[in-house]
Amino acid sequence: MKRTLFFLCCISFGICLFAQTQQRRLEEHVYYLASDSLHGRLAGSADALKAAEYIIRQYEAMGIEPFYESGFLQPFTYRLVGEGRRFNNVVAWIPGNDPALRDEYVIIGAHYDHLGERGGKIYNGADDNASGTAAVIEIARQLKARQAELKRSVIIVNFDGEELGLFGSNAFAERLTKDGKIKKVCLMMSIDMVGWYGQSGKLTVQGTGTIADGKAKMKELAKLLGITIKTQKFERSILTATDTEGFAKKGVATLAVTTGLKSPYHKPEDDAELIDYKGLSEISDYLTKWTAQVSGDELFRPSGRVAKKHQSDVQPFDLGVSLELGDSWLHHPYKSAIDGRSRFAGNIGLTAQANFKCKWLGLRLGVMYGWSMARYVNTSDIFNKSLRYYQEGVTMPLSAVFQWNTNYGLFHAGLGFYYTRVFKGGIVKEKPWATIQKNQFGMEWSLGYRFHGFDISVYGRYQFNWFTTDTTMPHLRNFYSGVRLSYFFL
């Protein structure tokens, strides 16, 4: 009994000592990377290169190999305002051991660049993203010690140029694509701002919906380790992006890992002394075990689903909500002198689109409930009085959509027909409701642009039949024009 107790005490002491040692190393990494001597690690600068060299020295000391035969640095250039600037990713790897799985990859990455100096102040970026860089270094250390357990290979990558537009991660994703290896990546994780666990109270993991049973697996491991996590199926915000984007747009399952924006985000006050190093160590342990689990799980599979904001390709089917705001006016095809004045028109409803295999052609159908108003000349009192027209009903537009997919979003043009069933309306105070044409139809056109699931279009509709069944009234048709705002959630 005494021997067993002594053995358990030794194990507990060893675990405590390891945790303290790792915590101290994390602190050393962050304090160096976020020091004034590196002047904020501006992307592509000499100071950023010093940070890259520091990371490389850590990997060399661990015995971790460079991923490319040319060495740890993956240099690339990007033209900024007429000037070609050189950047450097740091790319290492830990080869897996399973003959059938070692050519598949799990990527764990973090960007090491920040904002540099602005207005005489240094933006040290301790949380953003010295914290993520430090975590990746220590995760690599633990994975190297557990290399015998790894079946799939693990790529460790530190990105440059994230703050300027995800340059490093996009460059690496393109390099893997060029080398024919992007399809071998079963998961990519971006660790970005993970230094405020204690203050935020949770670790947020976005993208569990890109993995089969991802939420359940990640929560089960977190519960085992005592980590509080919040999972989201997909990255949703169109205003923020992290290094997952270049991989997700190529169909790779991705996870964006962060403790959130509690720290002084993009402010000079983001300094090393504010980081929660105990929490950072716990997060590093959790992500190490998760990476090892993914590497060793022969049944691990992506779900095949990608966040809407990452869908650079045309999907087979889209479903969303739409809001139309514009105006309508009554037009006489032969006597423009009795054309009316435009008034408000609006619709709200659902829009669905089926896309053909050729991808440049789709078929879009909407079901919209709306209102429209207009004024037109009273032919019996042409100089003094105009009549006000109002109607309310359901409009169903059906259009062929011609679309061009680019790196900047999806441009499209539509041409088709619409049908409106009028439920309520009439010539206000003048004519009975019974004279209004209840079944209206005509032509529709549109021009638009879609980005990250959001769509904005301008549209026009021209009625073919008369707006009234009263043959004694002028032969007028309804014209509509406006802006359509849509969000496609499927």
Side-chain angles (χ1 to χ4, degrees), residues 33 40-43 48 51-52 55 88-90 108-115 124-136 157-169 188-194 241-244 257 265-266 270:
L33 294 168
R41 309 185 308 279
L42 181 66
I55 297 166
N88 294 282
N89 290 333
V90 178
I108 185 161
H111 76 91
Y112 66 87
D113 65 302
H114 196 52
L115 302 177
N124 284 320
D127 191 33
D128 185 16
N129 187 33
S131 65
T133 302
V136 164
V157 56
N158 301 92
F159 301 114
D160 195 4
E162 189 271 353
E163 297 288 1
L164 296 177
L166 311 178
F167 294 167
S169 51
M188 186 274 171
M189 289 180 284
S190 171
I191 306 177
D192 197 347
M193 300 177 63
V194 287
T242 188
D243 287 309
T244 54
V257 183
Y265 175 65
H266 284 190
D270 185 9

Side-chain angles (χ1 to χ4, degrees), residues 429-446:
K429 297 181 180 179
E430 292 290 334
K431 292 287 182 179
W433 146 245
T435 64
I436 296 302
Q437 180 66 256
K438 295 182 179 66
N439 297 295
Q440 302 176 5
F441 59 90
M443 181 185 73
E444 174 180 293
W445 62 266
S446 64

Side-chain angles (χ1 to χ4, degrees), residues 146-375:
R146 302 175 59 169
Q147 186 172 358
E149 304 173 26
L150 303 181
K151 293 183 178 181
R152 294 181 176 89
S153 298
V154 178
I155 298 175
I156 311 292
V157 56
N158 301 92
F159 301 114
D160 195 4
E162 189 271 353
E163 297 288 1
L164 296 177
L166 311 178
F167 294 167
S169 51
N170 286 331
F172 186 53
E174 290 298 329
R175 175 70 182 270
L176 290 176
T177 303
K178 181 180 178 181
D179 294 343
K181 295 180 178 179
I182 195 70
K183 297 297 183 184
K184 295 291 186 179
V185 178
C186 64
L187 178 65
M188 186 274 171
M189 289 180 284
S190 171
I191 306 177
D192 197 347
M193 300 177 63
V194 287
W196 278 53
Y197 178 65
Q199 297 90 329
S200 66
K202 62 183 179 297
L203 179 69
T204 300
V205 181
Q206 298 176 315
T208 55
T210 66
I211 304 168
D213 298 321
K215 178 180 178 180
K217 290 177 179 178
M218 297 207 76
K219 279 189 171 290
E220 182 181 1
L221 181 60
K223 184 177 180 180
L224 184 66
L225 298 178
I227 296 288
T228 302
I229 69 168
K230 176 185 176 182
T231 61
Q232 295 178 5
K233 284 187 176 181
F234 303 106
E235 295 177 59
R236 295 190 293 266
S237 173
I238 65 167
L239 302 176
T240 59
T242 188
D243 287 309
T244 54
E245 186 167 287
F247 297 86
K249 286 188 173 181
K250 295 183 182 297
V252 175
T254 58
L255 294 174
V257 183
T258 183
T259 54
L261 298 175
K262 293 284 187 179
S263 61
Y265 175 65
H266 284 190
K267 294 179 180 178
E269 293 79 20
D270 185 9
D271 288 324
E273 62 267 20
L274 300 180
I275 298 298
D276 171 20
Y277 293 100
K278 181 177 181 294
L280 185 56
S281 182
E282 293 173 354
I283 289 169
S284 300
D285 290 342
Y286 171 66
L287 293 176
T288 297
K289 290 178 174 61
W290 168 250
T291 305
Q293 180 177 314
V294 174
S295 171
D297 184 0
E298 296 178 5
L299 300 179
F300 179 88
R301 292 292 181 271
S303 68
R305 301 177 67 192
V306 179
K308 198 71 184 179
K309 65 176 288 182
H310 291 148
Q311 290 177 1
S312 60
D313 203 0
V314 176
Q315 303 303 300
F317 180 78
D318 293 308
L319 178 64
V321 292
S322 295
L323 172 67
E324 295 179 348
L325 298 172
D327 55 23
S328 67
W329 72 97
L330 294 169
H331 171 66
H332 196 295
Y334 311 115
K335 300 177 181 179
S336 60
I338 62 171
D339 275 359
R341 289 177 292 171
S342 63
R343 287 293 185 269
F344 171 79
N347 292 282
I348 188 168
L350 296 175
T351 300
Q353 181 170 322
N355 296 304
F356 295 96
K357 286 186 177 180
C358 62
K359 296 184 179 181
W360 56 265
L361 179 63
L363 191 64
R364 180 176 291 192
L365 173 66
V367 180
M368 317 280 290
Y369 196 91
W371 307 260
S372 65
M373 294 176 282
R375 283 189 177 273

